[in-house]
Amino acid sequence: MASTIKDIARVAGVSTATVSRVLNHLGGYNEETEKKVMAVAKALGYRKNENARSLVQKSSKTIGVIMPEVTTAFYGDIIKGIEDVAYEYGYSVILTHAGSQGSRIQESMNLMGERRVDGFIIVSVELHEPAMESLLSLDVPYILISTKTKREDAPYIKVDDERAAYTAVKYLIDHHHRTIGMAGANPEDRIAGAPRINGYIQALLDHGIKVDLNLIKAGDFSFESGKQAMQAFLEDQAKITAVFCASDEAALGIISACFERQISVPEDLSVVGYDNSKVSSMSIPPLTTVAQPLYEMGKAGCSKLMDAIIHHTSIESQVIAHELVVRQSVKKLS
C-alpha cells in the first residue's frame, strides 16, 4: 500500500499541512523540518499521485471556490472581491456549493480536483478532518474566508465573530435596553452561529443582565428564520425591547414580521443586524448593523492565494476588524 502525506506526518512528528508545504516548496518551515520530512518521505518511498502532480505542474489558471448552500445574500460581495483579483491575474473562478452544513464538501473537492484548479478558497464552510485530508492531498495552496478549523496551520481570513456580536449587544445596552432577544443563529454552527451567540451572552453577563435562554431563537441566518423568531417572541409574550440578529436578512425578517403586526421599528422594538450587506441600507428603517468588510475579505483572500500560487509564499492568517454601522433601527430608551 502506497504511503501518504499522513504517514509522513505521523513518522516525522509534524502536521500534514507542513508535509504538504515541504513537498511543494511552499515555505513556512525551517531547514531542520524540511530535512526531516524529506528523509521520511524517501524512507517510506512516498510518491505523489499523478492527479496531484498534474495539479501542481500543469496550471489551469483557475481558482476553485467552495461555499455553502446559498440561503442569504452574504456571499455576493466576497465572491466579487475574489473574482476581481483573480481576473487581474488572468485566472478564472469556479464556484461550487458544499450543500447544507457542508454535506457535499467531498463532492466539491472531487470536482475541483477533476478541474485541476491551481488553488482553493473555502468560504464559510466548516471543514472536519476528512475534508481537510482531502484538501491537503491535492497539494495546492488554499485559504479559508469567514471560517477556520481546529488546525492552527490552516490559513484563514475572518472577523472575530464573538467580539463583533459583543459590540452589537453592548450598543443596545448602552441605549438602555435590558431585555434583548437574539434571532437567526444556528447554535450548532461553530463558525458563525455559536460565536455570535457567545458574544451576545457575554455582553449581557458583563453588564449585569441575567441571561434568559428562551430569548435566543435559533435559525439559519435567513429572512424566514427572522420572521419565525419574531412569531416565537410574540407567542412567548416576551417583553423584549430589542433584538440582535445573527444576519441582516434575519433582521429584515424581524422587521417584516413587525410590519405585518403594526409593531413599529424602532419605536416599539429596536433591531440590530450583522454583515452590513447591501440589504441593510435598503430596509425601512435603514438597519444598524455590524459590518464585515466582505468585498475586502474576498480581495485579501484571493491576493494571498495568488501570491502563494505564483511566488510560492506561505499564507498567513488574518483577523479583519469589524465596525458598527449606525443607522435608524435602534431607539435610545429613557
Side-chain angles (χ1 to χ4, degrees):
M1 183 174 173
S3 62
T4 67
I5 62 171
K6 197 169 183 178
D7 297 325
I8 299 170
R10 186 178 66 254
V11 175
V14 298
S15 70
T16 50
T18 297
V19 174
S20 178
R21 288 183 183 282
V22 171
L23 295 177
N24 291 289
H25 313 293
L26 296 178
Y29 47 82
N30 58 37
E31 185 178 354
E32 181 183 350
T33 298
E34 181 182 16
K35 287 181 178 178
K36 183 193 297 183
V37 169
M38 295 306 293
V40 171
K42 184 176 180 180
L44 294 178
Y46 173 80
R47 292 182 62 189
K48 289 183 185 177
N49 64 57
E50 289 305 311
N51 187 44
R53 190 192 305 275
S54 66
L55 280 169
V56 175
Q57 294 180 346
K58 299 177 183 178
S59 173
S60 63
K61 304 285 281 187
T62 304
I63 300 298
V65 178
I66 300 178
M67 54 197 288
E69 193 170 56
V70 178
T71 57
T72 74
F74 167 84
Y75 303 99
D77 286 341
I78 289 181
I79 299 303
K80 186 176 188 308
I82 291 171
E83 289 180 333
D84 283 354
V85 170
Y87 295 157
E88 282 181 17
Y89 284 88
Y91 278 65
S92 57
V93 175
I94 300 175
L95 299 177
T96 183
H97 297 148
S100 177
Q101 297 183 339
S103 60
R104 296 200 305 270
I105 185 68
Q106 199 62 58
E107 290 88 339
S108 294
M109 295 281 188
N110 293 341
L111 171 65
M112 295 302 183
E114 291 168 4
R115 296 299 295 269
R116 299 184 176 182
V117 298
D118 295 306
F120 278 96
I121 299 177
I122 316 292
V123 182
S124 293
V125 177
E126 183 177 359
L127 294 180
H128 298 291
E129 194 63 23
M132 279 301 301
E133 288 296 333
S134 294
L135 177 60
L136 293 170
S137 72
L138 292 171
D139 284 331
V140 294
Y142 70 94
I143 188 168
L144 315 177
I145 297 182
S146 196
T147 184
K148 60 187 297 189
T149 74
K150 294 178 181 178
R151 291 173 177 260
E152 293 298 321
D153 53 2
Y156 63 85
I157 291 181
K158 72 186 298 293
V159 301
D160 185 328
D161 285 278
E162 186 167 333
R163 286 179 61 87
Y166 187 105
T167 298
V169 178
K170 183 179 183 299
Y171 178 78
L172 289 169
I173 295 170
D174 289 345
H175 281 65
H176 303 160
H177 293 274
R178 305 287 293 179
T179 310
I180 303 167
M182 181 170 180
N186 177 0
E188 296 180 2
D189 176 357
R190 293 192 316 110
I191 304 306
R196 294 177 196 181
I197 293 172
N198 292 341
Y200 159 84
I201 290 173
Q202 195 60 51
L204 297 180
L205 292 175
D206 286 353
H207 293 83
I209 299 174
K210 184 179 178 181
V211 176
D212 182 353
L213 296 180
N214 291 322
L215 297 183
I216 302 175
K217 305 301 182 186
D220 61 359
F221 306 94
S222 67
F223 175 85
E224 193 57 41
S225 71
K227 292 196 73 170
Q228 291 169 358
M230 192 64 214
Q231 177 64 34
F233 286 133
L234 293 170
E235 289 174 358
D236 293 347
Q237 297 184 334
K239 304 299 182 184
I240 56 174
T241 62
V243 182
F244 164 57
C245 300
S247 71
D248 291 339
E249 294 201 16
L252 263 63
I254 292 282
I255 293 172
S256 175
C258 286
F259 175 78
E260 291 171 359
R261 294 162 177 81
Q262 298 184 321
I263 299 170
S264 176
V265 176
E267 286 302 314
D268 301 323
L269 184 71
S270 292
V271 181
V272 175
Y274 195 110
D275 288 333
N276 195 36
S277 54
K278 286 185 171 65
V279 296
S280 61
S281 62
M282 301 176 188
S283 69
I284 300 175
L287 184 65
T288 293
T289 184
V290 175
Q292 294 194 81
L294 304 176
Y295 176 74
E296 289 76 13
M297 289 165 69
K299 284 191 68 175
C302 194
S303 294
K304 287 172 179 282
L305 185 68
M306 295 309 306
D307 281 343
I309 292 170
I310 296 171
H311 304 296
H312 305 295
T313 57
S314 59
I315 302 177
E316 300 295 329
S317 295
Q318 182 179 0
V319 176
I320 300 285
H322 67 273
E323 65 174 315
L324 189 72
V325 177
V326 176
R327 296 194 179 99
Q328 298 169 40
S329 61
V330 174
K331 175 185 177 181
K332 187 168 187 176
L333 301 182
S334 56

